[in-house]
Amino acid sequence: PQYLAIDSMDNVFAALQYGIIKITPDGTITNLTKQAGTIGDLDRKWSNLIVDSKDNLYANDGKLIYRFTFDRTGKFVGSIYAGQQWSYKLEDGPLATAGFNTIGLMTIDKNQDIYLTDSYKKNKAEIGDNFITDSYYKNDPAKKYLKYATHYSVIRKISSSGMVSTIKTPDGKYILPNDISGITTDDQGNIVYAAYGFARFIGKIDPATGTISSIAGQPYKREWCPVYTQGESSKAEFVSPETIITNKKGEILFTDQRLHRVIKIANGRVTTLAGNNVIDPCAQNIGGRAQEGYQDGKALAALFNFPKGIAFDSKGNLFIADMNNHCIRKLTPDGMVTTFAK
């Protein structure tokens, strides 16, 4: 399991390496991979899952966004929601004609607007130097990373009315976050994102101004031998922050894959929500890594193995796609981790 989404009835949907499954609250697993109706089967790689207020499920395969629902007979059916088959380009406008190139991360906000990342590399010629990125890297990340164009992403928006736009500054510059690895939104309409690689921080983009700021972490502090530091948000350090969400309290939660932890940002402080894997010394892995593990129990004693997708149900349980343990874990509000499905 890699990505998770939960509907209003607390059904958990999980994108596997290939295909999608549904798990009911009582733990019944249904493989939806062969039930996609008009688009054929789902035996393909999917990037991110999101659910809207009407319990429609959205997924993308890197080229197109699909929308899935259950028909009156209970069959899981899907159709292309956004993107043009066999035509990949950066083009805004109505859903029927708008174009995407390489779709990555997705999230949906309280207004039912969808935000997603698209490829800068594939649109490099069109964008040229007409962009801004974060300003934290002392030598300007654009100069170092520009040749590695895959580090950058364009942010696109699909409004609830069906219009596609590309997020830009008021003066028309593309906003290109660097090393983006997870995306969500807050109640103020900001795009909140996780940055991994050398960046290693949690950032925020104001869509109205294009301003990129840091919420937690110390951007670009350590290229090698990263450390994990909790406490005050501005002094915290991470290793590989990835999938990120916000909860009803406005708190930010994300998985740090190489630390095998779920981390929370609240009230200006960073704390471990779940996970206690032993962190290897730098001499053992200069990229930073903790030892893999598998253990249920109290949250701060639980062990994971490259956790990725996370999602809340209506009761406040946090579900975690424990990718390399090939299972889905559940963290209850009282701080206990159990294995929900495997």
Side-chain angles (χ1 to χ4, degrees), residues 181-206:
S181 52
I183 185 172
T184 187
T185 59
D186 64 17
D187 284 341
Q188 290 72 50
N190 297 302
I191 298 167
V192 178
Y193 71 97
Y196 67 160
F198 180 19
R200 310 183 203 276
F201 74 104
I202 304 303
K204 179 173 68 175
I205 301 170
D206 181 343

Side-chain angles (χ1 to χ4, degrees), residues 233-285:
S233 295
S234 63
K235 297 179 180 178
E237 294 188 52
F238 312 119
V239 175
S240 185
E242 300 238 359
T243 306
I244 187 168
I245 61 173
T246 54
N247 63 16
K248 294 179 180 179
K249 299 177 182 178
E251 299 170 334
I252 298 169
L253 297 92
F254 63 92
T255 51
D256 191 307
Q257 275 205 326
R258 294 177 69 85
L259 285 178
H260 315 302
R261 282 164 169 77
V262 180
I263 298 171
K264 180 174 75 173
I265 305 170
N267 302 316
R269 298 189 66 80
V270 170
T271 56
T272 300
L273 189 63
N276 191 36
N277 300 58
V278 175
I279 299 174
D280 290 332
C282 178
Q284 190 165 329
N285 195 314

Side-chain angles (χ1 to χ4, degrees), residues 139-147 152:
N139 293 322
D140 181 0
K143 293 178 182 177
K144 177 170 184 176
Y145 286 123
L146 196 56
K147 62 181 178 179
Y152 290 102

Side-chain angles (χ1 to χ4, degrees), residues 159-332:
S159 70
S160 57
S161 63
M163 292 297 294
V164 176
S165 58
T166 302
I167 304 301
K168 299 179 183 178
T169 63
D171 60 352
K173 294 184 182 296
Y174 290 85
I175 302 169
L176 305 183
N178 179 43
D179 278 334
I180 188 169
S181 52
I183 185 172
T184 187
T185 59
D186 64 17
D187 284 341
Q188 290 72 50
N190 297 302
I191 298 167
V192 178
Y193 71 97
Y196 67 160
F198 180 19
R200 310 183 203 276
F201 74 104
I202 304 303
K204 179 173 68 175
I205 301 170
D206 181 343
T209 65
T211 303
I212 300 176
S213 56
S214 174
I215 295 175
Q218 300 185 54
Y220 307 97
K221 181 177 180 180
R222 306 174 197 268
E223 186 162 9
W224 305 112
C225 297
V227 299
Y228 176 45
T229 305
Q230 302 180 65
E232 186 179 334
S233 295
S234 63
K235 297 179 180 178
E237 294 188 52
F238 312 119
V239 175
S240 185
E242 300 238 359
T243 306
I244 187 168
I245 61 173
T246 54
N247 63 16
K248 294 179 180 179
K249 299 177 182 178
E251 299 170 334
I252 298 169
L253 297 92
F254 63 92
T255 51
D256 191 307
Q257 275 205 326
R258 294 177 69 85
L259 285 178
H260 315 302
R261 282 164 169 77
V262 180
I263 298 171
K264 180 174 75 173
I265 305 170
N267 302 316
R269 298 189 66 80
V270 170
T271 56
T272 300
L273 189 63
N276 191 36
N277 300 58
V278 175
I279 299 174
D280 290 332
C282 178
Q284 190 165 329
N285 195 314
I286 64 172
R289 184 160 172 172
Q291 296 174 19
E292 297 84 354
Y294 174 72
Q295 180 173 299
D296 287 336
K298 293 182 178 179
L300 296 181
L303 302 177
F304 301 91
N305 190 349
F306 283 83
K308 196 172 178 72
I310 48 177
F312 279 104
D313 70 5
S314 64
K315 299 177 178 63
N317 297 302
L318 181 69
F319 291 80
I320 305 160
D322 195 357
M323 191 166 59
N324 284 7
N325 277 328
H326 309 286
C327 63
I328 296 172
R329 315 284 287 281
K330 181 171 77 171
L331 171 61
T332 60

